[in-house]
Amino acid sequence: MKWLMFAWKNVMRNSRRSLTAMLITALGTAAVLGSGGFALFTYESLEEMTARDTGHVVVANARGFEGDEDVPLQHGLAGSPALAAKFAALPGVRAVAPRVQFSGLISNGDKSAVFVGSGVVPEIDFRLRGPQMNFISGQPPASNSPAPEVVIGNELARLMKAKVGSSLTLLATTTEGNLNAVDVLVSGIASVGVPEIDKRLVLADLASVQKLLLSDKVGTLSIYLKETADTEAIATRVREMQPELAVKTWRDLAVFYQAVRALYDRIFGILGVIMICIVLFAMSNTLGMAVVERTREIGTLRAIGTLPAEIVRNFVLEGMLIGGAGTVAGMLLAGVATVFLLFAGIEMPPPPGRSAGYPLLLSFSPPLYGAVTLVVIVLAACAAWLVSSRAANKPVTEALAHV
Amino acid sequence: MSAESCTVRLTGLRKNYRVGEASVEALKGVSLDVLSGEMVALTGPSGSGKSTLLNLCGLIDTPDAGSRELGGTVIDKLDEIALTRLRREKVGFIFQGFNLVPVMTVYDNVEYPLLLLGVAAAERRQLTLTALQQVGLEDYALRLPDALSGGQRQRVAIARALVKSPALVIADEPTANLDSTTARQIVDLLHELAHERNASVVVATHDERMSSHCDRVLHLIDGELQ
Ligand SMILES: Nc1ncnc2c1ncn2[C@@H]1O[C@H](COP(=O)(O)OP(=O)(O)OP(=O)(O)O)[C@@H](O)[C@H]1O
Ligand SMILES: [Mg+2]
């Protein structure tokens, strides 16, 4: 306690210099916490976005993910209703959504365009996608209407000059390799926020798609969980239950998430390293000046029986106090920014390839705060140790003669 | 003379300083015994080696040749850590420039050596207050050294040197920065307290009044005791 008090008094000896070091540390800490919080928030948003899109765990035929089918559903899943029921019974599973991916031409009679479609069970699928699927007009397709219904992307609707209630024709290759066509009614127009996808998006009722493709198989079963954290556990469980099937998690399928994460990890990693250097530099500078100024005092304390290690310890305490005070201020700063952004409603511009921006928010992560505090205090201690150990081990007479 | 009654025994101490190419012989084989409770004045012209001898005597420097004993123990083979621990227990220092820690209060400065020794809080407090009373500064305990006069600062330094009742006190020109009246008070005080606590004192001084108070006056010229 006494030593801590002496350290504090020594820190305040040149208060302007110490406050500068604290301020630099605070800004560094706040920058790391702010950017880290932003990266975490982005990861979380993308995780949620991807998981809502693909489902947390996706099950397919052993070769279902290879994408080298000769005809649609060649590697489809047979007996999917029984499998779906089995997976749905696992604890932590919210729902299981069967899907068929298919593609072909969509036509309004005058012109046609390529579409990439999914056959889905509307009652399950549209509930799970949540805010991911933004309806511009209309509603999800009904699953048992006499005329098959589809939801199309807003860009595709523009291309086809289609509105809710318009009639279009889907043309696709069947599982037997022949062409088949079906007339559909547009029940809704929606956007997923990625123009490239919205230009080709067709979502149809699963049963109608299976009829079009002449098959009762599905492409994949998307398992949605109550907690994203359970993903690996459930994936493992499913692999054990059905070793003959291929099982992937949303993480495996989230190309965009992986790319963003790799990029951000690198950017913010470099930022972190720069911050570490700045803090280290500020700290060594401040403490180094203090050591030089106090060399004679170090000599005095050594003469009256203070061990070099004890001298160093005092400087380390001082460094930790400066670093500690700096991180506390930095955490407050980052905390204030986090809360401020929560209410400020600032929008980030759309990411590459997207049409909608997203809110600028920072995640508050106690482990991140803890880790940054620890790193800064350890850095401060190291800097103090580095700059004081030479003076502390100087011959006493030499230190005493210092002016 | 038996080793027990003798605090310091220095035999044949030599010390050379290198200054560039040249070598200065600061001490040319000095032998000296200081009895326990004895106050010895070390006089001599500037550059005669007084400080050098005091540094060796106070264990903050090492001789090039010769042997040293403190309290009957030969210390020639001790490393810096062991020497530091020995100084902590047995040696008090009083400097010409007072050398108090400016951010510590008078009380904290005096208490510091006891803190190093790990003395329990209650005893520490009592010893510190006693030492402050003995130098007449109990009312100044919470002041910072900067708020004291030179004489008062040197009294704090005396309290700091004596608070642990050391076997040996080293004082290098303790009155050189003080006016003659104050210097006189400091000499009296040092003499009195050292006697009370049975500490040996070796004091380097140019000051005739100072040396006249000492039990023994030694004269050093060109690195040799006369
Ligand atoms: N660190 C050093 N490096 C080189 N020479 C030194 C050093 N310290 C002392 N000397 C030399 O050693 C000799 C003795 O010096 P010392 O300081 O012991 O004398 P002193 O008697 O204390 O003098 P003063 O009365 O001026 O304090 C002098 O010639 C001095 O120049
Ligand atoms: Mg001298």
Side-chain angles (χ1 to χ4, degrees), chain B residues 17-19 24 26 44-53 172-173 206:
Chain B
Y17 289 110
R18 293 210 68 85
V19 185
V24 181
S46 184
S48 57
K50 301 184 294 295
S51 296
T52 307
L53 184 55
D172 195 349
E173 313 212 18
H206 288 295

Side-chain angles (χ1 to χ4, degrees), chain A residues 2 300 302-303 305-306 310, chain B residues 80 87-88 99 102 111-112:
Chain A
K2 274 256 162 175
T300 306
R302 291 275 296 110
T306 313
E310 289 166 331
Chain B
E80 183 49 39
R87 290 200 300 271
R88 170 185 295 202
N99 291 24
E111 187 194 30
Y112 184 87

Side-chain angles (χ1 to χ4, degrees), chain A residues 273-295:
Chain A
V273 171
I274 293 174
M275 284 306 159
I276 285 175
C277 293
I278 291 176
V279 168
L280 202 59
F281 181 77
M283 212 56 98
S284 331
N285 201 39
T286 298
L287 292 168
M289 284 200 263
V291 167
V292 171
E293 283 173 7
R294 276 150 62 188
T295 302

Side-chain angles (χ1 to χ4, degrees), chain B residues 109-193:
Chain B
N109 266 287
V110 175
E111 187 194 30
Y112 184 87
L114 301 175
L115 218 52
L116 287 182
L117 284 167
V119 176
E123 194 187 350
R124 219 159 60 208
R125 186 173 171 74
Q126 197 231 314
L127 289 172
T128 308
L129 288 175
T130 307
L132 280 173
Q133 266 161 21
Q134 286 180 325
V135 298
L137 287 177
E138 63 270 37
D139 293 338
Y140 294 80
L142 298 180
R143 294 239 194 140
L144 290 176
D146 282 352
L148 300 182
S149 71
Q152 287 170 328
R153 288 187 213 182
Q154 201 57 306
R155 271 145 71 193
V156 176
I158 291 175
R160 177 176 70 181
L162 286 164
V163 70
K164 61 187 174 188
S165 297
L168 175 66
V169 173
I170 300 293
D172 195 349
E173 313 212 18
T175 58
N177 281 6
L178 302 173
D179 65 76
S180 55
T181 328
T182 318
R184 197 186 167 83
Q185 290 168 357
I186 292 296
V187 178
D188 286 344
L189 195 60
L190 187 55
H191 192 241
E192 182 190 325
L193 294 189

